[in-house]
């Protein structure tokens, strides 16, 4: 007994499609994509194992714009390998719109969450919040968009909130 199943095909714009982010093309490196997401969304959360002053510096202009616009966000990092730059963490504290937390333990997850009315953009991969990870290291990150209640988006965000 063969049944034919028909699917409705929905066309997405190139912007809406999931894709791999690497730093192979300087014009569309991880940093440029993240900057674009920051400017288009109404809230954000980042989970990164490592943060350096250079990573904050390449985002300083965007972070200042977000502060001026009152866009709230959170940054979660950890004590993993004692790598984080204290100056970078102090710099983050200068942004009252950004809640910064440090997980005491071996958190190595990297996720960038951007929320707009009804749509979430999530980037999960290998990029920490360092200048080299965002611009030139060989990194692999997957960018996808979802409704906030979508299964993967919901579960990933729940993991972030749990930490």
């Amino acid at each position: 007994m063969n049944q034919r199943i028909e699917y409705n095909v929905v066309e997405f714009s190139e912007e809406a499609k999931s894709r791999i982010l690497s730093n192979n093309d300087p014009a569309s490196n991880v940093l440029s994509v993240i900057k674009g997401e920051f400017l288009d969304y109404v809230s954000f959360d980042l989970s990164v194992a490592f943060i350096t002053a250079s990573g904050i510096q390449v985002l300083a202009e965007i972070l200042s714009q977000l502060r001026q616009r009152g866009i709230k966000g959170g940054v979660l990092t950890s004590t993993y390998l004692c790598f984080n730059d204290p100056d970078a963490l102090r710099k983050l504290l200068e942004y009252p719109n950004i809640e910064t937390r440090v997980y005491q333990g071996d958190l190595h997850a990297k996720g960038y969450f951007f929320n707009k009315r009804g749509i979430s953009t999530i980037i999960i991969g290998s990029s920490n919040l360092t200048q080299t990870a965002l611009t030139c290291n060989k990194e692999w990150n997957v960018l996808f968009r979802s409704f906030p209640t979508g299964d993967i988006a919901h579960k990933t965000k729940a993991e972030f909130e749990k930490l």
Side-chain angles (χ1 to χ4, degrees):
M1 166 169 26
N2 287 335
Q3 277 187 322
R4 182 179 172 157
I5 300 173
E6 292 190 30
Y7 297 95
N8 291 329
V9 177
V10 177
E11 290 293 321
F12 290 103
S13 69
E14 283 302 311
E15 180 181 298
K17 290 182 180 177
S18 298
R19 63 188 190 266
I20 296 288
L21 303 178
S22 64
N23 290 321
N24 293 334
D25 179 2
S28 63
N29 60 20
V30 178
L31 176 63
S32 64
V33 172
I34 288 172
K35 281 182 172 182
E37 297 299 326
F38 271 125
L39 291 176
D40 196 32
Y41 281 73
V42 297
S43 69
F44 66 91
D45 290 298
L46 312 178
S47 172
V48 291
F50 307 136
I51 301 174
T52 62
S54 67
I56 301 302
Q57 184 58 39
V58 296
L59 290 172
E61 183 180 332
I62 295 291
L63 296 177
S64 293
Q65 290 175 24
L66 296 173
R67 177 176 50 204
Q68 290 171 355
R69 291 175 39 218
I71 302 296
K72 296 201 178 291
V75 175
L76 175 65
T77 190
S78 76
T79 57
Y80 183 60
L81 298 179
C82 298
F83 183 87
N84 283 320
D85 181 345
D87 288 337
L89 297 175
R90 277 191 281 281
K91 186 69 176 169
L92 280 173
L93 294 175
E94 294 177 13
Y95 297 93
N97 59 315
I98 300 174
E99 181 180 1
T100 302
R101 295 192 174 226
V102 179
Y103 178 81
Q104 302 298 311
D106 297 345
L107 172 68
H108 199 246
K110 291 110 177 149
Y112 296 75
F113 305 88
F114 301 95
N115 304 300
K116 184 168 36 177
R117 294 164 210 84
I119 294 291
S120 293
T121 295
I122 300 173
I123 300 169
I124 296 177
S126 61
S127 293
N128 281 297
L129 196 51
T130 68
Q131 182 179 12
T132 55
L134 297 175
T135 61
C136 60
N137 282 358
K138 299 300 178 200
E139 305 278 351
W140 287 356
N141 300 277
V142 175
L143 178 149
F144 64 94
R145 300 187 200 285
S146 173
F147 295 111
T149 56
D151 191 48
I152 293 175
H154 179 73
K155 287 178 179 174
T156 306
K157 190 63 189 248
E159 284 292 318
F160 176 86
E161 295 295 335
K162 191 177 357 175
L163 296 171

